[in-house]
Amino acid sequence: MSAGKKIVIIVAVIVILLSIALSIGEIAVGSLYLRDCPAQRYLPIYLIVAGVFAFCSGGGDGAKIKSRSSDEGGSSSVDICGIIVSIFLFAWLICGSVWVFQLKQCDEDVLTPQTNATDGCFTFDSDYSSKSFYCHKTAYEFAFTDIVIRWVLTALILVFQICAMCL
């Protein structure tokens, strides 16, 4: 095995381990704050679904890397399932990006104790936790950071897939 292939495999394993760790965090945060973001009720659901699917596909990706490194043979049902899950996760990442990045934080002068609705903004202020425009800070910031990391991982995976085909 060439040095280039070893590097690609090592980086792929690191990306998979990082993805699995991130998946566990997604499931935990999404579950903990399931009802704590009425401003965007899909945000915790996005985290849970993304975490479960990414966690379950992490082991499959590792099996594909191992089988490709030892056997340069053709396609299998594992590859087809992996492609379907990858397409779903990519579409789900786009949905999560829309749900998270469309939210904007309210200006403080808009909020008063009598405020019942806002014009498309949300607040982290727990004084408004019973209002429809509230979102728990941890849930939102984790989802925001998670989506940025997922986009970076997607780009890295794409680059390393291209590199692996060239070697």
Side-chain angles (χ1 to χ4, degrees), residues 61-101:
D61 289 343
K64 284 192 290 186
I65 288 170
K66 184 177 179 187
S67 69
R68 282 190 188 137
S69 64
S70 62
D71 173 39
E72 300 294 327
S75 178
S76 70
S77 61
V78 173
D79 289 338
I80 293 168
C81 289
I83 289 169
I84 292 169
V85 170
S86 294
I87 290 170
F88 170 77
L89 283 171
F90 184 71
W92 195 244
L93 180 61
I94 291 170
C95 291
S97 298
V98 170
W99 294 327
V100 169
F101 296 138

Side-chain angles (χ1 to χ4, degrees), residues 9-74:
I9 290 172
I10 290 169
V11 171
V13 169
I14 290 170
V15 168
I16 289 168
L17 291 175
L18 179 62
S19 182
I20 289 172
L22 197 57
S23 300
I24 293 168
E26 287 170 331
I27 295 166
V29 171
S31 299
L32 284 173
Y33 300 106
L34 187 59
R35 307 247 187 269
D36 291 337
C37 191
Q40 182 46 271
R41 66 175 195 227
Y42 295 123
L43 191 143
I45 295 168
Y46 162 77
L47 289 172
I48 294 168
V49 172
V52 167
F53 272 85
F55 183 81
C56 291
S57 72
D61 289 343
K64 284 192 290 186
I65 288 170
K66 184 177 179 187
S67 69
R68 282 190 188 137
S69 64
S70 62
D71 173 39
E72 300 294 327

Side-chain angles (χ1 to χ4, degrees), residues 131-142:
K131 305 289 185 173
S132 66
F133 53 89
Y134 173 75
C135 189
H136 196 282
K137 187 173 186 171
T138 303
Y140 177 79
E141 289 181 347
F142 184 88

Side-chain angles (χ1 to χ4, degrees), residues 101-116:
F101 296 138
Q102 77 179 359
L103 291 174
K104 63 181 192 283
Q105 200 166 358
C106 296
D107 294 326
E108 292 302 315
D109 58 336
V110 173
L111 302 174
T112 66
Q114 292 78 29
T115 304
N116 288 321

